[in-house]
Amino acid sequence: AQSVTQPDIHITVSEGASLELRCNYSYGATPYLFWYVQSPGQGLQLLLKYFSGDTLVQGIKGFEAEFKRSQSSFNLRKPSVHWSDAAEYFCAVAPYNQGGKLIFGQGTELSVKP
Amino acid sequence: NAGVTQTPKFRILKIGQSMTLQCTQDMNHNYMYWYRQDPGMGLKLIYYSVGAGITDKGEVPNGYNVSRSTTEDFPLRLELAAPSQTSVYFCATREGPREKLFFGSGTQLSVL
């Protein structure tokens, strides 16, 4: 079945440590890929997106993500986490041949230790 | 510039009642979406539309209906409300399949 999976429900990292949030998808052709962040009580904000070309994409707030076709993954990374990065992170996938459909993963909640 | 406007912001329904969640956008976007967000479950796609007169089912369409008679409006209808429909509902729009979503402020719905 077609799906978007974020294997980690909750991650805790220390401030200043590096971060990687995982996202896997199961669609035939390479879909359009997105990462969104939702801070407590806030709406969703787009961090970055990937369609084609360079598999390493840069986003806002110092985030980057790498697309790996062989692993059907689009993992989000940040070299040094700040306390303000504590939030819920969602991977989203727009299947290439399904019009405007946009499916979200279940989210990963990030906590940052001082 | 209002963006995406959702009404109401809060609503309590009794089991078996029906209601319509309104969504209006003034950005002239063709793509519109309805999601529900349950705690710890992320956003689930209910219905979406790629233009006036065109709607498609998402992941969890059962118990809901939509219509898209104009570019601006995309109402979500709940028929025979059930406790399982207690959730926060978000309407969203975007310009195209590669573009970011713009979200409404959400509707918190409780079915008791």
Side-chain angles (χ1 to χ4, degrees):
Chain A
Q2 297 179 333
S3 66
V4 182
T5 302
Q6 292 180 246
D8 305 303
I9 295 174
H10 190 198
I11 284 181
T12 300
V13 299
S14 297
E15 190 167 17
S18 63
L19 171 70
E20 182 168 25
L21 302 181
R22 297 182 290 165
C23 175
N24 296 95
Y25 63 89
S26 60
Y27 293 92
T30 299
Y32 302 143
L33 299 159
F34 306 81
W35 274 100
Y36 283 83
V37 60
Q38 185 179 33
S39 299
Q42 303 293 315
L44 276 77
Q45 180 181 23
L46 178 68
L47 288 174
L48 45 76
K49 56 187 178 180
Y50 173 79
F51 313 128
S52 64
D54 192 346
T55 56
L56 185 64
V57 293
Q58 303 296 319
I60 63 172
K61 303 186 178 188
F63 285 92
E64 65 179 28
E66 185 173 14
F67 168 65
K68 293 186 177 180
R69 184 189 307 274
S70 61
Q71 298 178 20
S72 296
S73 69
F74 187 55
N75 294 350
L76 182 71
R77 302 196 293 244
K78 187 169 186 179
S80 178
V81 169
H82 188 262
W83 64 266
S84 60
D85 293 324
E88 186 101 24
Y89 291 80
F90 295 96
C91 177
V93 173
Y96 181 70
N97 59 349
Q98 295 188 31
K101 195 173 192 177
L102 182 62
I103 304 296
F104 282 81
Q106 63 264 51
T108 297
E109 184 181 357
L110 173 66
S111 297
V112 180
K113 293 190 300 185
Chain B
N1 200 355
V4 183
T5 303
Q6 274 185 251
T7 56
K9 294 192 184 302
F10 303 94
R11 184 71 185 267
I12 298 174
L13 284 180
K14 294 181 179 179
I15 295 172
Q17 287 184 320
S18 57
M19 75 164 294
T20 299
L21 280 66
Q22 301 291 343
C23 178
T24 298
Q25 54 108 352
D26 63 1
M27 295 178 285
N28 202 34
H29 288 172
N30 282 322
Y31 291 64
M32 295 190 74
Y33 303 81
W34 275 106
Y35 291 93
R36 57 177 288 174
Q37 185 174 26
D38 302 322
M41 299 298 292
L43 287 91
K44 292 294 187 182
L45 179 63
I46 305 171
Y47 273 94
Y48 67 103
S49 169
V50 298
I54 305 169
T55 61
D56 269 301
K57 294 179 181 179
E59 303 170 274
V60 289
N62 291 344
Y64 307 94
N65 278 299
V66 294
S67 59
R68 184 91 184 272
S69 57
T70 66
T71 299
E72 294 78 19
D73 300 306
F74 191 41
L76 177 71
R77 178 83 176 161
L78 279 72
E79 304 282 3
L80 296 175
S84 61
Q85 293 177 304
T86 294
S87 188
V88 179
Y89 291 82
F90 287 100
C91 177
T93 77
R94 58 180 182 162
E95 196 168 0
R98 299 185 177 193
E99 305 308 319
K100 71 175 183 180
L101 287 169
F102 291 83
F103 284 87
S105 56
T107 296
Q108 190 166 328
L109 176 67
S110 296
V111 182
L112 306 174

